[in-house]
């Protein structure tokens, strides 16, 4: 799960990681009121969307006069920001962070990320802050310093010092740097983050380290034990179909292809997606309706699949283990009465009472194709969509 910059900064403040003073605002009046409480002459107004690259896209504005904040906020709110991370459709700005403008002497990059490959927590740091780290990695990889921390031992101050010296940080900030990395690491572990990225982390003209940007991702599987983090969830920023699926106990992930898949069990869902690709098309989604797929879940799943305009055909591939095939067939027949299925539909049911289920589908009068095997089904749906 992603959170907004203003939420991440509130979390940073709790962990003694220095951030500029600021407030979230939902309308121009709130933005102006927030600016009036800030101490600095310059105010920064920042669009809050779940994507980076806002600066270059016009989502970060400087107000030299405090009295300009309301009109800047007016201009930003409701605007569709298109950045390299939003995709071409962009994201609507619904909230702003109004914060103190800081005197920047140097911009750095720092992130902690869970690295599954080495089963460690990796620190990535660079003196080239403000740029995309991928760009730095491509053009000047020597400017990136990495450190791998064994989670059993945890981050040690000497490691932070070594990285600080490698980066050539001024000695006035080394102490702050070592402590800040430790605080970020503690936040990472305590809140089950999967990534924390600060770009830029700055050194101010007064030699103070400060996080000017803040991006934190959390491990979805650990959210159940973090009520405070769950409260940060912003459904406006998430795919509405995924939200709806979660509410009905379905595991749904939207993808870019054209074949909608309805499958029970994550393993079978993965195999189905592979076989669709092998047959020459791309899956439009991952959808696991669960081991005990019922009539209701099948109906809901159809509705979710068919609300995606990219779906040009649906492949139902369900194994009747816990649930008998004829109940699934009944669910499909009922769903088809209520949801108009206006794209080709191929159904493959295997397992308990598969024969009866096939017969029911064949006699239902529905416009669908019954398939015998996984490969047969994949080929049939791909051919029909072509
Ligand atoms: P994004 O990464 O989405 O472009 P950032 O938060 O990194 O957004 O802001 C972009 C740039 O704007 C920063 O690199 C920094 O130069 C400037 N900036 C952001 N916040 C402040 C601030 N409070 N004071 C001064 N400059 C800022
Ligand atoms: Mg940034």
């Amino acid at each position: 799960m992603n959170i907004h910059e203003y939420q991440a900064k509130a979390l940073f403040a709790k962990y003694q990681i220095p951030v500029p003073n600021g407030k979230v605002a939902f309308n121009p009046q709130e933005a102006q009121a927030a600016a009036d409480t800030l101490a600095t002459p310059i105010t920064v107004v920042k669009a809050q969307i779940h994507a980076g690259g806002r600066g270059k896209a016009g989502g970060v504005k400087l107000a030299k006069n405090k009295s300009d904040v309301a009109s800047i906020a007016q201009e930003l709110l409701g605007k569709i920001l298109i950045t390299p991370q939003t995709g071409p459709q962009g994201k609507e700005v619904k909230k702003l962070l109004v914060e103190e403008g800081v005197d920047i002497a140097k911009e750095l990059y720092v992130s902690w990320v869970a690295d599954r490959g080495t089963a460690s927590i990796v620190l990535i740091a660079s003196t080239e802050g403000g740029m995309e780290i991928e760009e730095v990695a491509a053009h000047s990889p020597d400017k990136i310093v990495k450190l791998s921390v064994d989670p059993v031992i945890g981050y040690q101050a000497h490691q932070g010092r070594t990285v600080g010296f490698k980066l050539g940080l001024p000695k006035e900030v080394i102490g702050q740097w070592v402590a800040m990395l430790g605080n970020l690491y503690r936040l990472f572990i305590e809140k089950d983050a999967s990534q924390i990225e600060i770009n830029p982390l700055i050194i101010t003209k007064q030699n103070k380290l400060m996080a000017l940007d803040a991006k934190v991702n959390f491990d979805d599987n650990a959210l159940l034990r973090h009520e405070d983090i769950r409260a940060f969830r912003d459904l406006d920023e998430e795919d509405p179909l995924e939200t709806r699926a979660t509410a009905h106990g379905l595991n749904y992930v939207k993808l870019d292809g054209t074949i909608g898949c309805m499958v029970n069990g994550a393993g079978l869902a993965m195999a189905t997606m592979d076989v669709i690709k092998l047959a020459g098309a791309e899956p439009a989604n991952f959808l696991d309706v669960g081991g005990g797929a019922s009539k209701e879940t099948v109906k809901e799943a159809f509705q979710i699949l068919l609300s995606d305009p990219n779906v040009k055909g649906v492949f139902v591939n369900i194994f009747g283990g816990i649930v008998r095939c004829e109940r699934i067939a009944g669910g499909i027949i009922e769903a088809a009465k209520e949801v108009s299925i206006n794209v080709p539909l191929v159904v493959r049911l295997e397992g308990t009472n598969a024969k009866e289920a096939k017969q029911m589908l064949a006699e239902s009068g529905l416009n669908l194709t019954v398939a015998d095997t996984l490969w047969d089904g994949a080929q049939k749906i791909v051919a029909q969509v072509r």
Side-chain angles (χ1 to χ4, degrees), residues 12-29:
F12 281 7
K14 281 196 186 146
Y15 279 82
Q16 289 84 46
I17 298 147
V19 293
N21 289 319
K23 269 191 188 147
V24 65
F26 295 85
N27 58 54
Q29 295 74 29

Side-chain angles (χ1 to χ4, degrees), residues 54 78 110 135 160 254 303 339:
R54 297 162 301 166
V110 65
E135 240 171 81
K254 189 177 148 36
Q303 274 167 343
V339 190

Side-chain angles (χ1 to χ4, degrees), residues 109-363:
Y109 173 96
V110 65
S111 76
W112 280 112
V113 57
D115 181 28
R116 290 188 169 80
T118 56
S120 62
I121 318 258
V122 173
L123 172 73
I124 301 168
S126 170
T127 49
E128 307 303 291
M131 275 203 272
E132 300 287 322
I133 194 67
E134 291 82 0
E135 240 171 81
V136 182
H139 298 117
S140 27
D142 50 307
K143 298 264 171 68
I144 296 178
V145 180
K146 281 193 188 178
L147 163 77
S148 190
V149 171
D150 182 335
V152 175
I153 299 166
Y155 163 81
Q156 307 291 309
H158 72 86
Q159 296 175 308
R161 254 190 313 273
T162 305
V163 174
F165 290 138
K166 273 194 194 159
L167 292 173
L169 298 184
K171 62 179 186 322
E172 293 83 359
V173 305
I174 289 283
Q176 301 169 55
W177 164 262
V178 169
M180 192 202 62
L181 289 183
N183 290 333
L184 284 169
Y185 184 86
R186 195 160 55 83
L187 163 60
F188 191 102
I189 298 294
E190 286 181 5
K191 300 296 181 189
D192 289 307
S194 49
Q195 187 188 13
I196 300 180
E197 183 185 65
I198 306 178
N199 190 19
L201 168 75
I202 59 146
I203 306 176
T204 66
K205 298 235 164 94
Q206 296 76 35
N207 269 331
K208 290 265 174 295
L209 274 185
M210 193 180 264
L212 271 213
D213 196 0
K215 177 178 157 188
V216 186
N217 293 337
F218 298 93
D219 181 346
D220 285 345
N221 295 313
L223 284 175
L224 79 163
R225 59 181 184 190
H226 300 293
E227 202 181 344
D228 54 340
I229 305 299
R230 283 205 309 274
F232 284 147
R233 174 154 252 156
D234 183 350
L235 293 180
D236 280 345
E237 297 286 336
E238 297 183 14
D239 186 291
L241 290 180
E242 290 184 12
T243 308
R244 183 169 159 189
T246 307
H248 287 87
L250 305 170
N251 278 313
Y252 171 85
V253 180
K254 189 177 148 36
L255 301 168
D256 298 327
T258 56
I259 312 283
C261 319
M262 189 192 306
V263 190
N264 65 339
L268 189 56
M270 298 297 281
T272 305
M273 290 160 59
D274 281 349
V275 171
I276 286 172
K277 274 177 104 86
L278 200 60
E282 297 285 327
N285 65 281
F286 168 96
L287 173 60
D288 170 13
V289 296
S294 70
K295 221 181 260 182
E296 286 66 37
T297 46
V298 169
K299 201 166 82 189
E300 187 58 35
F302 265 120
Q303 274 167 343
I304 289 170
L305 287 184
L306 296 169
S307 344
D308 177 356
N310 289 340
V311 168
K312 305 288 181 242
V314 174
F315 180 24
V316 178
N317 183 27
I318 289 183
F319 177 75
I322 300 170
V323 60
R324 298 190 309 268
C325 289
E326 83 267 21
R327 291 203 47 193
I328 296 295
I332 295 171
I333 293 167
E334 277 218 4
K337 279 186 204 151
E338 290 175 42
V339 190
S340 83
I341 303 174
N342 44 15
V343 294
L345 171 63
V346 172
V347 181
R348 181 231 176 185
L349 297 173
E350 193 53 85
T352 315
N353 297 353
K355 234 195 219 158
E356 292 81 345
K358 272 183 205 160
Q359 200 172 344
M360 278 170 72
L361 289 173
E363 290 168 359

